């Protein structure tokens, strides 16, 4: 399974970005999908995740009401819509796919894409 994340960039605080994650390879069954982020010198942290059907979604507290995760299993795509961005959202964002259950823990995910950098200027 390969994950290709894209959509990062440099934006001013208050603006929006939409990250995309394209899933390829073994795509016969949907995966549990999540977005993590990692700022320089900090641990990789959970941002948002969604179960296979999309019926269960979880967000990290600081992004609730601002970020929206979505997926299209037919197109093998996952997105993270990020609104009202803040300077503290600056990080490399990673999409991840898991086989077992929706979790906020990075070690529960089996496949990772390369990071896409999001930089928010204040």
């Amino acid at each position: 399974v390969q994950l290709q994340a894209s959509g990062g960039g440099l934006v001013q605080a208050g603006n929006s970005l939409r990250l995309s994650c394209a899933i390829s390879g073994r795509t016969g069954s949907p995966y549990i999908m999540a977005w993590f982020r990692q700022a320089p010198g900090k641990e990789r942290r959970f941002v948002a995740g969604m179960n296979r059907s999309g019926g269960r979604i979880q967000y990290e507290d600081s992004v609730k009401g601002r970020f929206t995760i979505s997926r299209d299993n037919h197109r093998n795509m996952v997105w993270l819509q990020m609104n009202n961005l803040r300077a503290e959202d600056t990080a490399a964002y990673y999409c991840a796919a898991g086989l077992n259950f929706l979790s906020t823990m990075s070690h529960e995910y089996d496949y990772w894409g390369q990071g896409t950098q999001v930089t928010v200027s204040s």
Side-chain angles (χ1 to χ4, degrees):
V1 175
Q2 292 81 43
L3 306 177
Q4 181 71 40
S6 61
L10 171 63
V11 296
Q12 290 187 331
N15 284 354
S16 300
L17 278 175
R18 189 192 196 204
L19 305 184
S20 300
C21 179
I23 308 163
S24 62
R26 185 174 294 178
T27 58
S29 297
Y31 295 90
I32 296 151
M33 298 300 300
W35 289 93
F36 286 76
R37 64 186 178 186
Q38 187 168 19
K42 296 189 177 182
E43 295 182 348
R44 190 170 296 187
R45 298 190 64 178
F46 176 84
V47 175
M50 176 179 280
N51 69 347
R52 289 182 175 84
S53 67
R56 184 182 171 213
I57 296 174
Q58 191 169 354
Y59 294 100
E60 191 266 329
D61 285 347
S62 71
V63 308
K64 287 180 181 176
R66 301 188 298 123
F67 290 12
T68 303
I69 186 172
S70 60
R71 69 188 298 166
D72 184 330
N73 288 338
H74 295 291
R75 296 171 59 190
N76 296 314
M77 292 291 299
V78 179
W79 298 274
L80 184 68
Q81 178 66 42
M82 306 186 296
N83 297 331
N84 192 19
L85 282 161
R86 305 168 181 169
E88 54 263 38
D89 295 317
T90 295
Y93 284 71
Y94 298 86
C95 60
L99 299 172
N100 296 319
F101 53 87
L102 180 58
S103 171
T104 62
M105 307 301 291
S106 60
H107 67 262
E108 295 291 350
Y109 291 85
D110 303 276
Y111 306 101
W112 291 85
Q114 87 295 352
T116 185
Q117 180 67 35
V118 172
T119 303
V120 184
S121 62
S122 57

